[in-house]
Amino acid sequence: MIQLTVNGTQHKLDVEPDTPLLWAIRDTLGLTGTKYGCGMSLCGSCTVHVDGVAMRSCALPVSALNGKSITTIEGLNSRTARAVQSAWEKLDVVQCGYCQSGQIMSAIGLLEQNKSPSDEDIDGAMNGNICRCNTYVRIRAAIKEAVRSLV
Amino acid sequence: MSQKKIENVSRREFLVKTMSVGAGLTLGVYLPGCSREEDTRPEAGPGKAGGEVVAESEFEPNAFIRINSDNSVTVIIKHLEMGQGTHTGLATLVAEELDAAWSQIRVEAAPANPILYNNLFWGPMQGTGGSTAMANSFEQMRKAGAAARHMLVAAAAKKWDVAADEIVVRDGVIHHQASNKQARFAEMAELAAQQPIPQDVFLKDPQDFRLIGQHAPRKDSANKVNGTAIFTQDIKLPGMLTALVSHTPRFGARVKSFDASKVKAVKGVSDVIEIPGGVAVLAKDYWSAKKGRDALRIDWDNSNAFKQGSDELLAKYKTLADKPGSVARSDGDTKNAFQSAKQTIQAAFEFPFLAHAAMEPMNCVVQLNPDGCELWYGAQTNTMDQIAVAKLLGLKPEQVKINMLYAGGSFGRRANPASDYVLEAVSIAKAINGVAPVKLVWTREDDMQAGYYRPMYYHQLKAALNDDGYPVAWQHRIVGQSILAGTAFESMLVKDGVDQTSVEGASNIPYAIPNLQVELHSPVLPVPVQWWRSVGSSHTAFAVETFIDELAVAAGRDPLEFRRALLKGHPRHLGVMELAAAKAGWGSPMATGRGRGIAVHESFNSYVAQVVEVTLHDNKSFSVDRVVIAVDCGIAVNPDVIRAQMEGGMGYGLAAALSSKITLIDGGVAQSNFHDYTVLRIDQMPAVEVHIVKSEQPPSGVGEPATPVIAPAVANALYQASGQRLYALPLQLSA
Ligand code: FES
Ligand code: FES
């Protein structure tokens, strides 16, 4: 049994210890907002927050997470999160949308640590998140919009 | 049933009216106060995609519009939403003519139905592709909205006993000024459903548009931002098994035998079965299926397998290009013109295989029922898939229900003429006799290695120049697999040995050249190939637009001015080219180590020009800093969606310009995931400006036309910066 706190709720999960967090979240807990894109920490679709830090859930075995606190896109409620999500909506960032949970989790992770990121900071923090629809121009703009709204 | 519905028209009558008016007109009406029966099916797509229509077999299809008791208006969208904004675009058309408020509009994906929901450009076939969604729906959806409005107004006129032409509708409110009466749509819906269906409807004059041309926020933003949007990957049905497939490592190989003993030992695995093209492992969830598949040992029969690599193919293609091919276009007397020419220039171009690499790898959910089969996925060629599945299962097409979900990208991949991944899912469900619903999931590696690809191409170009340096003769030979050979599209689009999708963008070049010959060789290979965003233009635009640039430089002329001289009589090409050049400051000086380039191209009746600025960082690496895009796609229905597609479509092409490449080695694919099939990341995305040409032409597509223009524009800019002319994609400067 693995003990995880996901979006504030404690869960005891009966899964194999090598199960990546991504699949425990999606298949066992039924939280499907977090996406699979590569399974190798290459695309960022699966980004969640582990103790507040943005991490790729596809490469994190649940056995390494006992007692950790996980936040997925479904569990967001911080002020930063709201600012990021409404900036995303305001600028109509999404296209197919499949990468966007991961983009948003990474963007929030960035803004939780850096209140006024430079262009380089933004590109650096978001570089692990692929968007095949190439919404990058709007992702940059939406992060800046969120920064403005948080002041 | 807890709900009452009033149908104003029978299915049969509907079809008759549809033919006479050319648009769907039905209003399905839910009486105020009667809530809809709870839909217990998995939430799919926007709202309950397909569910509301498909779930209730007694409910005759209402084509495009439903006025709900809560005063919302549901627009049924016949095309796949894969990011291109079709749910927003088509809903805008209805809302415009209905005079609805944008906030009251909801969207729902249509069920599979080749009569009601066909692509009007494709005959009785439902499907999304070729950037046709807006173009084929423009009148149809507006007429549907106008007809609904007409019936609402007629109802109000009757109820209030006033003249219909004194009634105005604005932002979802029906209003009669003299009597000071007003009503919302829902209040009139029941009565409206009893009004005669108009035989003809008046559409608005474009100058009266209130939504078209304005900013209508995307209908799919909210649920894609909060994680509730449902994709195929997210569907979970009771008792469902997840299937992973071990595909042939070489195209054309077969399973000789396999050893499942270790697989069965993996916890959660239920079945291991052979299917056409591989072996499927079924398990209770993804991770169990993945571990099971990792433990699978397959002995492949390679006797008929493809064993060549990209290098050998290229050598073969080069030999072919030296010989005349099937003629795609022949103007004047090219042979003679070359013989008498004083100066000729020639070049050859290489294009690799490309994967679509949509963010959501291929997947499909299938459930076999006693009376048919039900599918959940991002269906792009709905009718073809329906027919193929029916054939495999011995059913009638209408027994195959398709729930069209959001697709996590496609770029052409989900419109597979062989219905490959759909049939794979159905084969698995069939092999277990339908005892459980099956979700087929491709890993990223499967998606990269199991096909299908943009074909590899080789081009040979030759031009004869007059004394002013302008081309008087042009010979263009293209070598590459036919995408359409062997598909249902072959009879339509392959003529005299020429697959139109191999030569588009080359056989219709706009430049004034009196002697012009375009030829094609289509070698047959077992490598599975398919259209990839912008199809033929994904390679032809590069060859044509960099070669024209080379001719301009050889003539000692400015590339913009050179094109301008050859584009007389092509106002829309000229329009976008001049606009992009002006906005980009064409002609202003660039620092050493920087370069500016231009390209212009028409595809799918939309015209796009791009001006690019690049910077060299050392003698091999460079960055693309700025892209100015001008587009003429007719009436701009949703300018912001157009801008988004220009940005994204350009970025998709830029990935292929900079680094994406599928390489075949010994009959298999060398790349497997995003570490070796590299795509564009945020730090490579240039600053982008989009300018839309004002136009009164009917709208044309925007999903694809930005993609082919970027690679030649970048190559032309690199030439200006470095003096190196590049002839192969991805672009690589030599030291
Ligand atoms: S799925 Fe985890 S990084 Fe791609
Ligand atoms: S929105 Fe489609 S992959 Fe990012």
Side-chain angles (χ1 to χ4, degrees):
Chain A
M1 284 286 176
I2 310 283
Q3 271 211 23
L4 289 182
T5 303
V6 180
N7 300 333
T9 309
Q10 275 205 11
H11 297 273
K12 283 206 175 93
L13 299 184
D14 180 18
V15 295
E16 294 292 300
D18 64 349
T19 306
L21 175 61
L22 171 65
W23 298 108
I25 293 170
R26 289 183 53 85
D27 283 354
T28 313
L29 296 179
L31 297 171
T32 55
T34 308
K35 302 299 188 213
Y36 163 79
C38 72
M40 283 180 68
S41 294
L42 295 165
C43 78
S45 299
C46 64
T47 307
V48 297
H49 295 169
V50 179
D51 288 342
V53 179
M55 296 188 88
R56 316 292 178 220
S57 64
C58 67
L60 279 176
V62 285
S63 58
L65 295 166
N66 231 331
K68 301 266 187 200
S69 172
I70 317 291
T71 306
T72 69
I73 185 95
E74 291 90 348
L76 292 174
N77 62 12
S78 69
R79 185 165 168 255
T80 310
R82 278 196 298 276
V84 168
Q85 286 174 303
S86 40
W88 242 251
E89 264 199 72
K90 181 171 170 195
L91 300 186
D92 268 349
V93 172
V94 307
Q95 290 189 26
C96 83
Y98 195 79
C99 73
Q100 297 294 348
S101 297
Q103 304 281 3
I104 286 167
M105 297 309 283
S106 290
I108 296 166
L110 165 68
L111 296 189
E112 296 283 13
Q113 327 234 305
N114 184 345
K115 297 280 170 239
S116 54
S118 65
D119 290 1
E120 289 70 39
D121 293 339
I122 293 174
D123 278 9
M126 302 302 294
N127 199 35
N129 287 81
I130 293 174
C131 175
R132 282 295 279 156
C133 299
N134 294 279
T135 60
Y136 300 125
V137 170
R138 289 172 191 230
I139 289 174
R140 285 179 186 146
I143 291 175
K144 291 183 183 175
E145 169 74 21
V147 168
R148 273 194 297 276
S149 74
L150 281 167
V151 197
Chain B
M1 280 200 60
S2 66
Q3 62 184 355
K4 290 187 219 138
K5 288 177 240 94
I6 292 178
E7 293 288 337
N8 59 337
V9 53
S10 71
R11 161 74 182 271
R12 184 146 151 239
E13 194 185 349
F14 175 78
L15 290 177
V16 172
K17 307 282 187 197
T18 300
M19 281 190 283
S20 61
V21 184
L25 311 176
T26 350
L27 278 172
V29 181
Y30 295 105
L31 288 177
C34 297
S35 67
R36 292 180 47 70
E37 199 169 45
E38 264 307 290
D39 192 338
T40 52
R41 298 142 49 84
E43 179 126 331
K48 296 182 182 64
E52 305 204 63
V53 179
V54 177
E56 297 150 2
S57 49
E58 78 287 1
F59 188 38
E60 302 235 47
N62 51 17
F64 297 112
I65 298 172
R66 192 169 56 235
I67 311 255
N68 305 303
S69 57
D70 64 0
N71 201 43
S72 63
V73 175
T74 302
V75 180
I76 316 290
I77 310 286
K78 64 180 185 172
H79 290 294
L80 172 66
E81 178 58 83
M82 48 188 156
Q84 84 282 36
T86 195
H87 278 187
T88 304
L90 268 51
T92 303
L93 302 176
V94 167
E96 176 69 65
E97 297 287 348
L98 183 58
D99 279 310
W102 185 241
S103 56
Q104 79 186 122
I105 298 285
R106 290 186 201 161
V107 289
E108 184 178 293
N113 187 317
I115 306 296
L116 292 180
Y117 299 120
N118 63 321
N119 184 323
L120 301 182
F121 294 172
W122 292 5
M125 242 205 269
Q126 187 183 1
T128 310
S131 291
T132 58
M134 178 54 73
N136 95 93
S137 307
F138 186 58
E139 270 211 4
Q140 182 182 41
M141 295 301 276
R142 288 171 64 208
K143 281 183 175 169
R149 181 188 188 282
H150 183 99
M151 291 162 80
L152 286 166
V153 167
K158 196 165 188 181
K159 188 163 180 189
W160 298 336
D161 195 20
V162 301
D165 58 8
E166 290 171 8
I167 290 174
V168 254
V169 185
R170 187 100 170 226
D171 286 337
V173 178
I174 309 164
H175 186 210
H176 183 255
Q177 202 174 0
S179 63
N180 198 23
K181 289 208 165 77
Q182 66 174 49
R184 302 183 312 154
F185 290 173
E187 297 164 49
M188 285 298 164
E190 186 184 351
L191 195 54
Q194 296 159 18
Q195 302 307 307
I197 293 171
Q199 289 304 300
D200 216 344
V201 285
F202 291 101
L203 298 180
K204 284 185 184 173
D205 191 304
Q207 69 187 13
D208 298 327
F209 286 157
R210 301 172 52 79
L211 270 170
I212 292 176
Q214 303 304 314
H215 177 62
R218 283 186 78 110
K219 284 295 170 191
D220 54 351
S221 259
N223 63 355
K224 288 177 175 178
V225 162
N226 65 23
T228 57
I230 297 294
F231 298 82
T232 311
Q233 193 81 26
D234 307 329
I235 292 288
K236 192 166 189 178
L237 301 174
M240 185 179 81
L241 296 172
T242 297
L244 263 66
V245 173
S246 240
H247 298 100
T248 54
R250 285 193 180 92
F251 299 112
R254 288 165 169 278
V255 176
K256 195 188 280 172
S257 61
F258 64 92
D259 174 5
S261 52
K262 294 215 172 68
V263 188
K264 296 261 174 69
V266 174
K267 204 173 147 193
V269 170
S270 60
D271 307 86
V272 184
I273 46 170
E274 187 178 339
I275 55 161
V279 177
V281 175
L282 289 95
K284 68 173 176 34
D285 55 22
Y286 174 90
W287 190 244
S288 313
K290 169 77 165 56
K291 283 171 83 176
R293 190 180 74 166
D294 289 347
L296 181 64
R297 295 291 162 263
I298 303 177
D299 193 8
W300 298 100
D301 171 3
N302 285 314
S303 51
N304 287 315
F306 183 62
K307 298 197 184 77
Q308 288 179 320
S310 295
D311 290 347
E312 289 128 293
L313 290 180
L314 183 61
K316 219 190 242 178
Y317 286 13
K318 285 181 177 173
T319 317
L320 271 176
D322 286 333
K323 299 182 202 125
S326 304
V327 177
R329 177 164 169 190
S330 186
D331 293 0
D333 185 347
T334 308
K335 203 169 166 194
N336 203 21
F338 273 108
Q339 271 162 5
S340 54
K342 270 188 260 165
Q343 196 195 349
T344 63
I345 293 186
Q346 58 181 336
F349 300 85
E350 297 167 17
F351 304 90
F353 289 103
L354 291 173
H356 302 76
M359 208 68 234
E360 181 184 23
M362 293 304 102
N363 47 19
C364 182
V365 176
V366 53
Q367 179 163 35
L368 304 187
N369 305 314
D371 54 351
C373 162
E374 187 163 0
L375 298 159
W376 291 260
Y377 68 110
Q380 197 176 346
T381 36
N382 316 45
T383 303
M384 285 172 63
D385 290 350
Q386 204 180 21
I387 292 169
V389 170
K391 201 171 153 204
L392 180 69
L393 295 174
L395 299 171
K396 295 195 199 93
E398 55 271 26
Q399 289 175 282
V400 178
K401 284 185 187 171
I402 297 178
N403 300 283
M404 179 166 48
L405 307 185
Y406 287 135
S410 168
F411 316 115
R413 179 63 184 85
R414 284 189 180 270
N416 184 277
S419 304
D420 71 322
Y421 67 95
V422 179
L423 290 185
E424 188 170 289
V426 175
S427 302
I428 297 167
K430 191 181 165 195
I432 59 164
N433 297 316
V435 295
V438 170
K439 169 154 61 173
L440 168 71
V441 175
W442 281 21
T443 61
R444 176 57 60 196
E445 287 78 8
D446 297 320
D447 200 78
M448 211 66 93
Q449 301 193 316
Y452 283 55
Y453 307 102
R454 197 287 303 273
M456 172 178 158
Y457 288 97
Y458 182 75
H459 290 222
Q460 205 184 66
L461 263 157
K462 198 162 81 165
L465 310 177
N466 66 16
D467 292 341
D468 296 325
Y470 288 107
V472 289
W474 174 282
Q475 180 190 290
H476 192 163
R477 276 192 195 141
I478 298 173
V479 185
Q481 283 170 270
S482 164
I483 290 168
L484 298 177
T487 73
F489 296 94
E490 185 168 5
S491 59
M492 267 188 288
L493 290 164
V494 182
K495 299 250 153 65
D496 301 324
V498 177
D499 179 335
Q500 291 306 320
T501 69
S502 301
V503 297
E504 61 186 0
S507 59
N508 56 341
I509 62 168
Y511 299 113
I513 304 168
N515 305 289
L516 185 82
Q517 181 91 359
V518 180
E519 298 173 7
L520 174 70
H521 292 279
S522 303
V524 177
L525 299 172
V527 184
V529 292
Q530 196 181 330
W531 26 59
W532 182 97
R533 199 173 192 174
S534 83
V535 200
S537 293
S538 71
H539 51 106
T540 57
F542 182 80
V544 169
E545 282 300 295
T546 57
F547 195 56
I548 275 284
D549 218 74
E550 185 168 349
L551 302 190
V553 171
R557 291 176 196 278
D558 173 76
L560 175 67
E561 181 219 306
F562 190 78
R563 284 179 174 82
R564 196 183 278 146
L566 293 170
L567 282 173
K568 291 195 183 91
H570 291 276
R572 299 182 78 184
H573 284 86
L574 279 169
V576 290
M577 189 174 77
E578 301 292 1
L579 181 60
K583 297 288 183 186
W586 185 266
S588 64
M590 297 286 280
T592 316
R594 302 199 70 224
R596 186 187 283 127
I598 191 167
V600 57
H601 188 77
E602 173 272 323
S603 56
F604 310 98
N605 296 320
S606 289
Y607 301 75
V608 174
Q610 294 175 10
V611 175
V612 164
E613 292 174 15
V614 299
T615 302
L616 303 179
H617 294 296
D618 52 50
N619 50 14
K620 274 190 84 173
S621 77
F622 63 93
S623 58
V624 179
D625 310 319
R626 179 182 182 217
V627 181
V628 178
I629 304 176
V631 54
D632 175 354
C633 55
I635 294 170
V637 176
N638 298 94
D640 196 55
V641 170
I642 294 168
R643 276 191 287 275
Q645 286 309 299
M646 290 299 112
E647 294 161 5
M650 182 281 294
Y652 195 78
L654 186 56
L658 297 182
S659 70
S660 305
K661 181 177 185 170
I662 287 287
T663 318
L664 296 186
I665 295 174
D666 192 20
V669 173
Q671 291 75 15
S672 61
N673 207 317
F674 289 122
H675 62 293
D676 51 9
Y677 188 82
T678 46
V679 298
L680 203 75
R681 289 178 184 270
I682 196 168
D683 58 345
Q684 297 167 297
M685 187 72 174
V688 185
E689 284 166 45
V690 179
H691 303 278
I692 302 171
V693 172
K694 206 170 157 38
S695 166
E696 273 157 25
Q697 299 290 321
S700 42
V702 293
E704 300 173 88
T707 299
V709 192
I710 185 68
V714 171
N716 294 339
L718 281 174
Y719 175 79
Q720 294 297 332
S722 71
Q724 291 185 41
R725 192 51 84 179
L726 301 178
Y727 299 99
L729 292 182
L731 299 167
Q732 231 175 341
L733 290 170
S734 44

